[in-house]
Amino acid sequence: MVVAAITNGQTPTHLNLQHSGFNDKHITRIAHALRQHDALVEVLDLGWNDFGDEAATHVGDLLRGNTYLKDLHLGWNHFGDVGGERIAEALSANQTLRLLDMTRNHITDKTAGVLGRALADNYGLTALNISKTRISDEGARVLSVALKQNSVLETLIVEDSRIAQNGIKLLTTAVLSDHWEASELDPRIEFAPSYNEHNQLGCAHYTRNCKLRALCCKRFFVCRFCHDEWSNHVMDRYATAEVWCMDCRTTQAIGPTCINCKKDFARYYCERCRFYDNDPAKHIYHCPRCNLCRAGFGLGIDTVHCTKCQTCVSFSRMAHRCVEEKWSTALCALCEKSVFHRAVMRLMCGHSLHEWCFEGRDTTKGITFQCPMYSALI
């Protein structure tokens, strides 16, 4: 019936074939008919059907020479890279399509590579949805490079994909660079679950099941470090009042457990610090004198609070030399940047180093290290 309507010129401008149970054979016939009769269809919705690569290649052929189609919805089918690449290639020739939805198909980084090459020369597409696909960080990297040459695409949706936080950061920067200031986020990406390199909910800094809303800019980030990397200002995590559950996507007042799905946001939660950590290998406690969460089993167990240094000291470093300075204003002896809220080590001379500064020091002159502020070896 659909093919007959197209042949007789009775096709509506919005052709909705969602949930029609169409397989490769049906979709191939429809694509042939639309191309042969140059139908004036502006919106074609083929979502939630049952077609794969065979039909997708014919849809790509249709797209290549079509000048009427504005929105193409192909989500929730099962085509892979063969069909995905053909559709992506068509974007090099088609400059009239505005929206392409490829949600929940089996496309991988191979399709992302072809999409990248096509989008570098495309000036028509403004919205692309590749959510729930098999595209990973490598595909995101290739796409991000191409998108820096594209000034038209405004919306890129990557929900529930295999793209981790670093990949999302690359994509967001590339998409937003020509449309918004770098400190802003596309809401479609902001309200998407974030994963670390181990495919766990969280970011490169912490494992947790929620995002925090920064009071300063009202945006959601997995942690304050993610916020500070994106923004030109610093997030006050103590002022956090709302979180967004990455499991059920519910915005709510801050707390240890989601009010909707009832899942804990993390194994460890500190109400005072607004801090979550879901890493089972970590032991964390809150020091009321530092007013910070620290690594360790707790005061009197494996750490003690030094009132002169105004920080917690491990029992293994009880012989440290005290430096009477406010911890919140202390500087790293190597990079001379604040050690507050960062992973640090206290030297025997009393000064402090970021752990990554110590690990990244120049060791070509030997394994010993001399504090640049006190000239003491450690």
Side-chain angles (χ1 to χ4, degrees):
M1 292 180 62
V2 177
V3 173
I6 295 171
T7 303
N8 296 328
Q10 300 174 348
T11 313
T13 56
H14 187 155
L15 185 56
N16 187 351
L17 301 177
Q18 242 189 52
H19 295 284
S20 298
F22 288 160
N23 57 27
D24 285 277
K25 184 177 180 180
H26 297 116
I27 299 300
T28 297
R29 288 179 176 176
I30 292 169
H32 273 304
L34 288 171
R35 185 173 56 171
Q36 183 177 357
H37 297 281
D38 204 17
L40 304 180
V41 177
E42 295 182 358
V43 178
L44 178 60
D45 195 339
L46 301 176
W48 298 88
N49 278 290
D50 188 32
F51 65 88
D53 284 322
E54 180 184 353
T57 56
H58 290 288
V59 172
D61 292 340
L62 163 67
L63 188 60
R64 180 177 294 275
N66 190 284
T67 58
Y68 300 108
L69 205 57
K70 299 294 186 294
D71 293 2
L72 179 58
H73 299 269
L74 304 173
W76 298 90
N77 286 288
H78 55 84
F79 61 84
D81 287 323
V82 173
E85 289 179 22
R86 185 70 69 91
I87 293 168
E89 289 170 353
L91 294 176
S92 297
N94 186 304
Q95 303 295 340
T96 56
L97 192 71
R98 296 292 176 264
L99 181 150
L100 175 60
D101 180 6
M102 302 174 77
T103 304
R104 189 54 173 77
N105 281 288
H106 302 163
I107 57 176
T108 70
D109 293 340
K110 290 182 63 179
T111 295
V114 180
L115 271 172
R117 292 192 292 272
L119 289 175
D121 300 320
N122 184 280
Y123 54 82
L125 198 71
T126 60
L128 174 64
N129 191 339
I130 51 173
S131 299
K132 305 181 189 301
T133 62
R134 299 177 182 179
I135 296 175
S136 68
D137 277 354
E138 177 57 23
R141 184 190 64 78
V142 174
L143 272 173
S144 69
V145 173
L147 288 175
K148 290 178 180 178
Q149 305 173 51
N150 182 301
S151 60
V152 179
L153 193 73
E154 297 176 348
T155 302
L156 176 62
I157 310 175
V158 294
E159 285 183 301
D160 293 343
S161 66
R162 298 183 181 182
I163 302 174
Q165 186 72 15
N166 289 339
I168 290 176
K169 179 181 176 180
L170 289 173
L171 288 174
T172 308
T173 302
V175 173
L176 302 184
S177 59
D178 291 322
H179 304 286
W180 298 279
E181 294 183 3
S183 60
E184 295 189 45
L185 286 172
D186 185 336
R188 299 297 185 93
I189 297 179
E190 179 185 1
F191 289 96
S194 170
Y195 297 88
N196 60 22
E197 61 181 356
H198 303 296
N199 204 30
Q200 300 168 318
L201 286 173
C203 63
H205 311 102
Y206 297 110
T207 303
R208 56 181 57 161
N209 301 339
C210 64
K211 293 186 178 184
L212 314 178
R213 171 169 274 170
L215 183 63
C216 45
C217 54
K218 310 300 182 185
R219 296 289 194 178
F220 281 100
F221 297 86
V222 177
C223 76
R224 58 190 177 84
F225 295 125
C226 293
H227 170 278
D228 295 352
E229 288 171 1
W230 283 108
S231 311
N232 57 6
H233 57 278
V234 177
M235 175 180 170
D236 178 9
R237 79 171 183 211
Y238 295 102
T240 304
E242 287 185 305
V243 296
W244 184 75
C245 178
M246 288 195 280
D247 277 310
C248 68
R249 308 183 186 191
T250 302
T251 301
Q252 57 201 276
I254 193 166
T257 305
C258 178
I259 60 173
N260 183 46
C261 67
K262 310 301 181 184
K263 293 182 180 179
D264 291 337
F265 291 131
R267 295 170 181 266
Y268 177 85
Y269 167 65
C270 176
E271 183 177 4
R272 178 68 188 90
C273 292
R274 304 301 203 252
F275 178 70
Y276 298 88
D277 199 295
N278 205 29
D279 188 341
K282 288 184 181 178
H283 299 286
I284 307 170
Y285 70 96
H286 179 85
C287 175
R289 294 184 178 180
C290 291
N291 197 26
L292 281 175
C293 289
R294 297 290 193 192
F297 288 94
L299 294 174
I301 304 175
D302 61 346
T303 60
V304 64
H305 183 87
C306 178
T307 56
K308 287 187 177 181
C309 294
Q310 299 185 44
T311 188
C312 289
V313 180
S314 169
F315 282 171
S316 63
R317 301 302 297 267
M318 285 298 292
H320 73 286
R321 175 172 177 156
C322 292
V323 174
E324 296 188 29
E325 62 177 340
K326 192 174 181 180
W327 186 247
S328 60
T329 60
L331 302 178
C332 173
L334 277 176
C335 70
E336 297 185 349
K337 294 182 179 180
S338 174
V339 298
F340 194 52
H341 291 317
R342 300 298 192 270
V344 298
M345 57 185 298
R346 202 70 154 175
L347 307 182
M348 294 302 294
C349 61
H351 294 113
S352 305
L353 291 177
H354 292 123
E355 288 184 358
W356 57 81
C357 287
F358 179 74
E359 292 170 358
R361 71 193 188 284
D362 184 5
T363 58
T364 58
K365 298 180 181 179
I367 60 172
T368 59
F369 174 77
Q370 191 173 40
C371 174
M373 300 179 71
Y374 190 75
S375 300
L377 297 178
I378 64 169

